[in-house]
């Protein structure tokens, strides 16, 4: 049994703990910390974890009854516990984004390089989604020819809370497309541009410009557009379409059954984002647990992937200021991640 120390007990922690206690094997939460102790007590009770609730991150990391860490705290509070876990030699699963700025991700990469082995898996769960995997296999098979361009839709159900400000659209939502698009196209980005479409009058988040359109340019000349909103009125909707020289490959329009009734063809659309990727959340965490249990080096999305995404996100946030095209420059990938 892999004993997990949980840091941060918000919505995504509930998703992971629910999966751990109902669908996954070989993992249990034995220690918990949240800046708000009540939240830690609440999750402990709700899922009958019988874990120790601690007052500090250090106590969780150093607990001898903790083999690995699961970091689900606020986006800007990931780096400290991740680096502490690396320094303690304990593997750590950290939610996306690895950090909200690239310079913080670099600190994680440097700590891992110092440790000399991969100890971090970043929660880019779309890489474990069966449909995204099929899409990648199709592209890699060469059947649609070289990928030339693409389109993503990332519509999150409204209302967007005031937590959401203009830059969060990038490092909370678009970060998924940043990660998945270069993985699908097998090539690095050269530049990114963010533009604003007509403001949605239903948007009540005062510091959020919504909707936004982000364009990623790649080395080969391939271009991918992503349409983003946190105010989707009809439900949670994620689409990815890749147009190649010989054909098109795309995710299914709706991953739910079709019903024909009363003169209509219909699909149910998820009301929030927690359900669409439930299998992906389960497979990513089970993969982490299995590799920790077997003492294997981690193979899921790495801290380097988190760093690449954050460099791109920093440039996209820069572009948000004046909607200009911002060039992206990356360091060479260290051998540890090749
Ligand atoms: C949320 O944090 C997620 O990670 C979801 O996958 C994403 O679709 C949503 O927009 C984010 O707010």
């Amino acid at each position: 049994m892999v004993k997990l120390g949980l840091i941060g007990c918000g919505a995504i922690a509930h998703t992971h703990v629910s999966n751990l206690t109902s669908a996954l094997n070989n993992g249990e939460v034995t220690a918990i910390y949240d800046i708000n102790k009540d939240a830690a007590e609440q999750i402990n009770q709700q899922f009958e974890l019988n874990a120790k609730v601690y007052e500090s991150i250090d106590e969780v990391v150093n607990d001898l009854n903790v083999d690995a860490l699961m970091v689900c705290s606020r986006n800007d509070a990931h780096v400290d516990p991740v680096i502490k876990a690396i320094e303690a030699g304990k593997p750590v699963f950290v939610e996306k984004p690895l950090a909200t700025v690239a310079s913080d991700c670099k600190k994680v990469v440097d700590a891992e390089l110092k440790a000399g082995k991969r100890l971090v898996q970043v929660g880019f769960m779309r890489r474990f989604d069966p449909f995204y995997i099929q899409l990648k296999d199709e592209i890699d098979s060469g059947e649609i020819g070289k990928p030339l361009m693409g389109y993503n839709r990332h519509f999150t159900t409204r209302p967007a809370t005031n937590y959401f400000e203009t830059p969060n659209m990038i490092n909370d939502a678009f970060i998924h497309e940043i990660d998945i698009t270069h993985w699908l196209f097998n090539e690095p980005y050269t530049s990114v541009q963010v533009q604003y479409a007509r403001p949605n009058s239903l948007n009540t988040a005062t510091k959020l410009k919504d909707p936004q359109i982000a364009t990623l340019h790649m080395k080969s000349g391939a271009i991918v557009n992503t349409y983003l909103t946190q105010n989707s009125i009809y439900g949670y909707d994620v689409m990815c379409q890749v147009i190649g020289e010989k054909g098109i490959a795309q995710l299914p329009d709706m991953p739910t059954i079709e019903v024909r009734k009363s003169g209509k063809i219909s699909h149910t659309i998820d009301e929030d984002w927690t359900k669409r990727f439930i299998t992906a959340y389960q497979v990513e965490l089970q993969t982490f647990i299995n590799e920790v249990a077997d003492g294997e080096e981690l193979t899921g999305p790495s801290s380097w992937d988190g760093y690449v995404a954050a460099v791109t996100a920093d440039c996209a946030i820069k572009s948000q200021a004046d909607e200009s095209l911002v060039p992206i420059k990356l360091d060479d990938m260290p051998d540890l991640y090749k």
Side-chain angles (χ1 to χ4, degrees):
M1 191 61 95
V2 172
K3 292 167 183 150
L4 297 161
L6 173 65
I7 311 283
C9 301
I12 194 66
H14 281 73
T15 299
H16 289 310
V17 173
S18 164
N19 285 334
L20 265 175
T21 51
S22 65
L24 306 189
N25 298 314
N26 219 13
E28 63 173 344
V29 176
T30 52
I32 312 179
Y33 168 79
D34 191 286
I35 194 163
N36 167 9
K37 199 172 177 190
D38 288 347
E41 303 280 11
Q42 186 280 326
I43 204 166
N44 202 17
Q45 271 167 27
Q46 182 181 339
F47 294 98
E48 298 173 2
L49 300 174
N50 289 320
K52 265 194 181 165
V53 173
Y54 283 114
E55 305 277 337
S56 74
I57 292 170
D58 291 79
E59 286 170 297
V60 176
V61 172
N62 297 321
D63 186 334
L64 295 176
N65 205 28
V66 165
D67 304 315
L69 278 296
M70 212 160 83
V71 174
C72 301
S73 47
R74 271 178 63 116
N75 291 352
D76 56 3
H78 290 172
V79 177
D80 178 43
V82 169
I83 290 184
K84 283 181 168 149
I86 295 171
E87 287 174 352
K90 295 189 180 181
V92 50
F93 172 84
V94 51
E95 256 313 318
K96 46 59 64 175
L98 175 55
T100 48
V101 288
S103 52
D104 277 347
C105 293
K106 190 73 193 348
K107 290 180 194 159
V108 175
V109 167
D110 288 344
E112 214 178 23
L113 288 174
K114 198 169 161 203
K117 64 173 179 173
R118 283 204 44 200
L119 287 165
V120 180
Q121 179 178 327
V122 181
F124 285 129
M125 79 298 182
R126 291 192 187 182
R127 293 195 190 199
F128 296 90
D129 175 65
F131 290 119
Y132 268 109
I133 291 172
Q134 283 178 49
L135 190 56
K136 180 159 177 60
D137 287 346
E138 184 65 28
I139 296 165
D140 288 350
S141 75
E143 287 297 316
I144 64 162
K146 292 190 184 107
L148 307 176
M149 49 194 167
Y151 163 76
N152 296 307
R153 184 162 60 234
H154 190 163
F155 286 8
T156 303
T157 317
R158 76 182 297 270
T161 62
N162 270 329
Y163 160 76
F164 256 92
E165 301 184 0
T166 298
N168 297 113
M169 187 77 103
I170 304 301
N171 57 37
D172 202 87
F174 182 50
I175 200 87
H176 284 295
E177 279 77 20
I178 291 177
D179 178 64
I180 209 75
T181 304
H182 77 90
W183 180 72
L184 288 172
F185 277 65
N186 294 307
E187 62 164 328
Y189 303 126
T190 50
S191 58
V192 61
Q193 180 177 23
V194 180
Q195 293 169 290
Y196 305 105
R198 178 179 178 171
N200 186 342
S201 63
L202 301 174
N203 174 29
T204 50
T206 48
K207 292 185 179 163
L208 171 69
K209 285 195 183 180
D210 186 303
Q212 302 182 24
I213 303 171
T215 308
L216 289 162
H217 294 252
M218 283 168 244
K219 216 172 161 187
S220 64
I223 296 179
V224 175
N225 265 325
T226 302
Y227 285 33
L228 297 147
T229 180
Q230 290 286 329
N231 281 290
S232 171
I233 195 106
Y234 62 85
Y236 185 66
D237 191 0
V238 167
M239 167 49 68
C240 176
Q241 182 183 66
V242 177
I243 299 158
E245 291 169 321
K246 296 189 279 183
I248 296 177
Q250 65 182 53
L251 298 180
D253 205 15
M254 275 296 143
T256 52
I257 59 155
E258 182 181 286
V259 177
R260 293 163 189 245
K261 206 183 83 184
S262 311
K264 279 190 193 144
I265 297 177
S266 63
H267 283 265
T268 302
I269 302 182
D270 290 335
E271 280 168 17
D272 64 49
W273 53 266
T274 54
K275 297 187 203 75
R276 162 66 182 87
F277 289 106
I278 196 72
T279 305
Y281 286 123
Q282 291 173 354
V283 180
E284 69 169 354
L285 197 53
Q286 190 66 67
T287 302
F288 175 78
I289 289 168
N290 292 349
E291 290 173 352
V292 173
D294 296 344
E296 288 169 11
E297 203 146 332
L298 302 179
T299 58
S302 67
S303 57
W304 184 256
D305 293 314
Y307 169 70
V308 168
V311 169
T312 310
D314 281 359
C315 295
I317 289 169
K318 199 168 163 205
S319 172
Q320 284 179 324
D322 57 3
E323 301 182 54
S324 62
L325 188 68
V326 177
I328 298 170
K329 286 197 180 55
L330 281 170
D331 300 343
D332 289 338
M333 186 194 271
D335 286 343
L336 185 65
Y337 303 103
K338 282 180 184 155

